[in-house]
Amino acid sequence: MAQIRIRDAGVFLGVSDDTVRRYVENGLLTSTKDASGRSVVDGLELAELARRNAVLPADPSDVGRSARNRFVGLVTAVTMDTVMAQVELQCGPHRVVSLMSSEAVRELGLEPGSVAVAVVKATTVMIETPHGVSE
């Protein structure tokens, strides 16, 4: 069972330590003590709470697709030359960057402030684990 310190739980949920403590007081999370006597929460319980509390904008495209990784957000920057462009989106707390043709940017009407959906379909997704998060 992964144990996550209260401070780290707040970081993962995007809330303060005090808010995590209130979640514990209100029964949304269960707190125990680790071997060092620090308050910790169960990693699985925290992950389930994070999933339940995730606020994701609805995909406005209303298109069926096989890709499950969709990030709805706002275009924050477009860097374009005559052939290629770099488009940055802010999708909740996540920054997504896409490289595409300048022609595609013009056809899609992408400009800072416009709503867009980043669709990710990859054969390789790397997952890393940080050292010391659950220690």
Side-chain angles (χ1 to χ4, degrees):
M1 163 179 88
Q3 295 182 326
I4 310 293
R5 293 179 61 189
I6 297 291
R7 174 180 51 87
D8 294 330
V11 170
F12 292 129
L13 293 175
V15 299
S16 70
D17 305 17
D18 290 335
T19 298
V20 174
R21 287 185 190 90
R22 281 192 293 277
Y23 289 166
V24 171
E25 290 171 10
N26 293 327
L28 294 171
L29 287 173
T30 306
S31 176
T32 59
K33 300 286 184 185
D34 67 7
S36 300
R38 297 177 297 202
S39 294
V40 294
V41 295
D42 176 62
L44 177 58
E45 196 175 323
L46 181 65
E48 290 169 350
L49 179 63
R51 181 181 287 176
R52 281 195 311 270
N53 289 350
V55 178
L56 301 173
D59 185 340
S61 64
D62 195 31
V63 174
R65 59 178 74 89
S66 64
R68 297 291 174 242
N69 301 310
R70 301 177 198 166
F71 301 94
V72 179
L74 295 168
V75 176
T76 56
V78 176
T79 305
M80 193 163 53
D81 65 20
T82 56
V83 177
M84 293 300 295
Q86 175 178 305
V87 178
E88 295 184 31
L89 284 86
Q90 192 66 40
C91 305
H94 305 287
R95 175 179 171 252
V96 179
V97 179
S98 178
L99 301 176
M100 65 184 72
S101 70
S102 296
E103 178 182 23
V105 169
R106 287 188 295 275
E107 286 177 0
L108 293 171
L110 297 175
E111 60 184 22
S114 61
V115 175
V117 180
V119 180
V120 180
K121 180 80 173 187
T123 56
T124 303
V125 175
M126 310 250 180
I127 298 178
E128 301 173 338
T129 58
H131 293 290
V133 169
S134 62
E135 298 176 59

